[in-house]
């Protein structure tokens, strides 16, 4: 049996008074997800282990069967893998957002919907002004970039900007972890042995990063790109925000973990997810015009997924749009993204694979909720459905956060989802 996971990032939500007390999954028109729930089996899943924040890097890799206590190193190293940066043992890789601030507060975590082209332009500019032998800015996609700091410490506390809309940014600057402010640690090589170099203390690392953040504001606001945006009355991309830092992780491939997977593919517009795919040993497909937003190329992603699934055993197709709409607090847009996932992803994939001679198991789920009235990730269980030809249905008739409580799978925890899915 072949397997495909269709993941709607941040798709789960809370009950909303504007929707008569329904969640967005309840209110959205999702005939194909509902049909698969009715024909298949459902349940709920905790995707965030104790002691971890509800980030997409944690949730997505947990869904794929990875124990975070063994593999977690933050977003930065995963995004480094995605964009082809080969980390050295001494590197600290951090996710770098270009955000929008005003009146001392975080207005937007995405720099006013910065384009990939303009993001690369700003990264080049920051490298010229702030880069050196220790610090390097590497362009990624849209507002999502990479910051490499040589011999820096990962034992720092960074606030993910999407978790703090409307808050004072200066109160969220980088701090050392408790007990690590003045401690040093050796750089460990890929052979597991010290290289002879030492890393900065966590306090030195925090000071360096905060200095970069503060300097970036003046530099970015003076850049012609932002000057033109200001003249048009648009939000500026006027501050860098590093977070999610870590060293190079050590992860087994999915092929090593699950013998059923001899080959597989990851499809996403998001560097983070592509990086997980790289470390998981999956082929990573970049689909033209896949944006990670509501205007993404759904049809191109589906075509790539079906081609991969026809030739391989496993596909992970990730759609970011619902998460972005949740962070923006845009209820109408998030409803639309959920309906797009149903009609433009789930429907064509189901209608195609149901005709194949070799059976295909389909799973649909989010990685975490991103409620529109909270505008950030929350650490709560998510609903999931699993269908394949011949599966014995449970009594759940529709797919949403409330209905799946009664699903036959009950409440699964962390890697149990992938373990069960791969036994089908």
């Amino acid at each position: 049996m072949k397997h495909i996971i269709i993941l709607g990032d941040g798709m789960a939500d809370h009950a909303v008074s504007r929707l008569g007390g329904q969640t967005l999954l309840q209110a959205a028109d999702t005939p194909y997800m509902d049909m698969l729930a009715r024909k298949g089996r459902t349940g709920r899943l905790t995707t965030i282990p104790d002691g971890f924040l509800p980030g997409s890097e944690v949730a997505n890799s947990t869904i794929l069967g990875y124990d975070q206590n063994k593999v977690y190193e933050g977003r930065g190293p995963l995004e480094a893998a995605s964009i082809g940066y080969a980390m050295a043992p001494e590197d600290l890789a951090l996710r770098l957002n270009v955000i929008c601030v005003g009146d001392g507060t975080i207005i937007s975590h995405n720099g006013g919907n910065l384009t990939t082209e303009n993001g690369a332009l700003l990264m080049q500019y920051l490298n010229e002004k702030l880069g050196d032998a220790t610090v390097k800015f590497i362009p990624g996609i849209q507002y999502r970039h990479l910051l490499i700091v040589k011999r820096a410490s990962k034992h720092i506390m960074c606030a993910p900007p999407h978790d703090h809309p409307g808050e004072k940014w200066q109160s969220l600057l980088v701090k050392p972890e408790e007990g690590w402010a003045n401690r040093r640690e050796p750089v460990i090589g890929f052979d597991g042995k010290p290289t002879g170099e030492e890393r900065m203390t966590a306090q030195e690392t925090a000071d360096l990063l905060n200095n970069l953040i503060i300097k970036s504001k003046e530099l970015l606001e003076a850049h012609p790109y932002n000057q033109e945006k200001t003249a048009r009355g648009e939000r500026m991309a006027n501050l860098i925000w590093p977070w999610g830092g870590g060293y190079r992780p050590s992860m087994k491939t999915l092929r090593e973990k699950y013998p059923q997977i001899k080959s597989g593919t990851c499809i996403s517009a998001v560097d983070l997810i592509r990086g997980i795919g790289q470390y998981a040993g999956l082929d990573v497909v970049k689909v033209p015009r896949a944006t990670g937003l509501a205007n993404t190329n759904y049809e191109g992603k589906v075509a790539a997924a079906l081609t991969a699934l026809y030739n391989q055993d496993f596909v992970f197709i990730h759609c970011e749009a619902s998460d972005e709409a949740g962070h923006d607090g845009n209820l109408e847009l998030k409803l639309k993204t959920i309906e797009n996932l149903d009609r433009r992803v789930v429907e064509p994939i189901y209608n195609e694979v149901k005709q194949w001679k070799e059976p295909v198991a389909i799973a649909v789920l989010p990685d975490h909720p991103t409620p529109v009235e909270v505008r950030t990730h929350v650490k709560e269980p998510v609903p999931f459905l699993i269908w394949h030809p011949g599966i014995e249905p449970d009594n759940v008739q529709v797919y949403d956060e409330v209905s799946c409580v009664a699903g036959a799978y009950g409440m699964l925890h962390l890697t149990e989802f992938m373990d069960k899915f791969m036994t089908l």
Side-chain angles (χ1 to χ4, degrees):
M1 183 176 290
K2 295 174 181 281
H3 297 78
I4 182 168
I5 296 175
I6 302 171
L7 192 135
D9 200 297
M11 182 168 60
D13 214 294
H14 292 164
V16 177
S17 58
R18 288 174 286 170
L19 299 174
Q22 292 182 304
T23 71
L24 278 76
L25 278 172
Q26 288 177 310
D29 183 22
T30 55
Y32 275 81
M33 285 190 273
D34 290 345
M35 178 267 294
L36 288 179
R38 188 165 55 252
K39 291 186 173 183
R41 311 189 99 191
T42 65
R44 293 191 299 160
L45 173 66
T46 60
T47 62
I48 310 298
D50 291 342
F52 289 84
L53 295 173
S56 291
E57 75 281 15
V58 172
N60 280 272
S61 56
T62 296
I63 287 169
L64 287 172
Y66 289 97
D67 181 344
Q68 300 306 300
N69 289 295
K70 296 179 179 178
V71 305
Y72 181 76
E73 282 288 347
R75 284 198 179 208
L78 298 173
E79 303 203 16
S82 169
I83 62 179
Y85 178 82
M87 290 183 66
E90 68 269 21
D91 287 345
L92 174 72
L94 300 109
R95 161 73 173 270
L96 189 78
N97 282 40
V98 184
I99 69 174
C100 175
V101 298
D103 296 326
T105 65
I106 296 177
I107 296 174
S108 168
H109 71 286
N110 62 17
N113 291 323
L114 189 67
T115 67
T116 298
E117 181 181 8
N118 287 323
L121 180 70
L122 296 182
M123 288 302 102
Q124 180 181 355
Y125 172 65
L126 290 173
N127 258 326
E128 293 170 357
K129 299 294 185 180
L130 299 176
D132 55 28
T134 300
V135 172
K136 186 174 184 179
F137 297 85
I138 300 175
I141 294 176
Q142 297 166 347
Y143 63 90
R144 311 176 189 95
H145 304 285
L146 185 70
L147 177 64
I148 299 294
V149 186
K150 299 288 185 182
R151 295 174 300 282
S153 171
K154 70 176 181 180
H155 298 286
I156 51 177
M157 296 184 292
C158 302
H162 54 265
D163 286 345
H164 300 276
E167 297 184 32
K168 298 292 185 182
W169 65 267
Q170 288 190 327
S171 67
L172 300 169
L173 287 169
V174 183
K175 300 175 180 64
E177 287 182 0
E178 186 176 352
W180 280 92
N182 299 308
R183 289 175 61 181
R184 296 188 184 276
E185 59 180 327
V187 173
I188 304 298
F190 295 147
D191 59 0
K193 299 177 181 178
T195 65
E197 293 184 296
E198 282 191 327
R199 294 188 179 274
M200 306 175 196
T201 67
Q203 186 64 62
E204 290 169 339
T205 302
D207 291 344
L208 183 154
L209 293 173
N210 290 333
N211 185 50
L212 292 174
I213 292 169
I214 291 166
K215 285 183 176 179
S216 76
K217 188 171 185 294
E218 180 180 356
L219 289 168
L220 288 172
E221 290 181 351
H223 193 278
Y225 169 76
N226 278 317
Q227 292 288 305
E228 291 170 6
K229 293 200 78 174
T230 301
R232 295 193 298 267
E234 298 174 359
R235 292 176 176 176
M236 287 191 290
N238 61 343
L239 194 76
I240 61 168
W241 201 261
W243 59 286
Y247 313 147
R248 189 182 188 279
S250 176
M251 290 171 59
K252 289 184 177 180
T253 66
L254 288 180
R255 188 179 301 109
E256 292 171 315
K257 290 172 61 63
Y258 302 102
Q260 305 93 324
I261 301 177
K262 297 179 176 59
S263 59
T265 288
C266 172
I267 299 167
S268 176
V270 178
D271 279 345
L272 160 68
I273 307 302
R274 293 173 180 171
I276 294 172
Q278 293 274 7
Y279 281 115
L282 301 175
D283 295 339
V284 177
V285 175
K286 295 185 178 182
V287 175
R289 297 180 292 105
T291 64
L293 301 172
N295 65 351
T296 197
N297 181 7
Y298 290 103
E299 289 71 26
K301 294 177 81 169
V302 166
L306 289 171
T307 298
L309 192 61
Y310 186 81
N311 295 297
Q312 298 179 322
D313 306 303
F314 177 82
V315 168
F316 183 71
I317 178 170
H318 169 274
C319 296
E320 175 77 0
S322 293
D323 187 62
E324 291 293 327
H327 285 307
D328 287 340
N330 192 328
L331 184 145
E332 292 76 16
L333 181 61
K334 186 170 180 183
L335 283 170
K336 180 181 177 181
T337 65
I338 293 170
E339 292 174 351
N340 279 338
L341 186 79
D342 187 77
R343 300 293 180 84
R344 300 171 68 178
V345 179
V346 178
E347 176 181 354
I349 287 175
Y350 168 75
N351 283 335
E352 174 65 26
V353 304
K354 71 179 183 180
Q355 306 175 66
W356 292 3
K357 291 182 179 179
E358 183 171 0
V360 175
I362 298 174
V364 180
L365 75 167
D367 53 346
H368 50 67
T370 308
V372 292
E373 294 186 337
V374 179
R375 296 185 59 192
T376 189
H377 304 169
V378 296
K379 189 175 180 177
E380 297 170 3
V382 298
F384 70 88
L385 69 84
I386 292 175
W387 170 88
H388 63 78
I391 191 171
E392 182 179 349
D394 57 24
N395 294 320
V396 173
Q397 299 298 298
V398 293
Y399 174 70
D400 59 58
E401 301 88 344
V402 177
S403 299
C404 289
V405 172
Y409 284 110
M411 179 74 78
L412 298 184
H413 299 284
L414 306 173
T415 60
E416 289 178 347
F417 168 81
M418 188 67 168
D419 292 343
K420 286 185 179 295
F421 189 52
M422 293 315 302
T423 61
L424 299 176

